[in-house]
Amino acid sequence: MQQQHRDFQGATRTYRHVLELDPANKFAWYQLGIIAQANGNTSYARAAYDKALKIDPSFMSALFSEAMMLKSSDPDRSMRLLQRAAATAPKAASLHMQLGLLLAEKNRNDEAKDAFRRAVAADPALLSQVPERFRNAVSPSPTSSHAGSSR
């Protein structure tokens, strides 16, 4: 509740108290990362996300949050985090979209197409966000999961 009411100092104290009682509480570490990131303390945010991921290497929220935070400063690490997340959530459309965008920036076009295909398959509304040069390659086909629909 403290965090929802933007009492970040109070929420930070509460999460630290939780960690005194349960040092392996991935949710407390994750939320400390969210608060630190919101306050511009990216080094602490990254450390908190990493602690959450040491506890649960497939913790989707921490993988995605850290990846998005690092997208411009460390795109290679961001990509690795998104790839780990994609392995645990193959139908997470926004995750695949973000991965595709990073791969496209690195000119890893075949991998980018695959990520964009997965994103659009999970959420066809994302097609408009796929970079133009990839759209034809990733458009949902009439024989996909929408076969028989009146499109």
Side-chain angles (χ1 to χ4, degrees):
M1 292 300 292
Q2 292 167 314
Q3 191 171 357
Q4 287 178 348
H5 289 99
R6 305 190 61 77
D7 175 9
F8 296 132
Q9 288 180 335
T12 297
R13 280 191 304 274
T14 300
Y15 291 129
R16 287 188 177 146
H17 181 68
V18 167
L19 290 168
E20 287 173 11
L21 300 171
D22 179 12
N25 188 309
K26 69 182 181 183
F27 300 106
W29 282 117
Y30 171 69
Q31 292 302 333
L32 284 172
I34 291 290
I35 292 169
Q37 186 175 352
N39 288 321
N41 188 348
T42 56
S43 62
Y44 185 83
R46 185 172 179 180
Y49 293 144
D50 285 343
K51 286 181 182 182
L53 290 170
K54 281 186 179 136
I55 295 162
D56 180 356
S58 62
F59 185 24
M60 177 63 64
S61 297
L63 287 166
F64 190 75
S65 293
E66 185 173 357
M68 292 298 89
M69 182 179 69
L70 297 173
K71 190 174 180 182
S72 60
S73 64
D74 190 350
D76 291 330
R77 172 125 172 96
S78 179
M79 218 177 328
R80 287 191 302 274
L81 290 165
L82 288 171
Q83 287 168 330
R84 281 175 51 193
T88 62
K91 296 189 186 246
S94 61
L95 187 154
H96 289 286
M97 176 60 71
Q98 293 300 321
L99 180 57
L101 292 169
L102 281 170
L103 289 163
E105 285 177 20
K106 295 286 189 176
N107 292 316
R108 293 168 59 178
N109 294 334
D110 289 339
E111 292 170 275
K113 282 180 201 172
D114 184 52
F116 290 136
R117 272 191 207 106
R118 290 173 191 265
V120 171
D123 182 357
L126 289 176
L127 182 61
S128 65
Q129 295 177 36
V130 172
E132 186 75 32
R133 65 185 170 133
F134 294 100
R135 274 200 204 136
N136 288 337
V138 303
S139 272
S141 69
T143 59
S144 70
S145 60
H146 300 288
S149 69
S150 54
R151 301 194 321 143

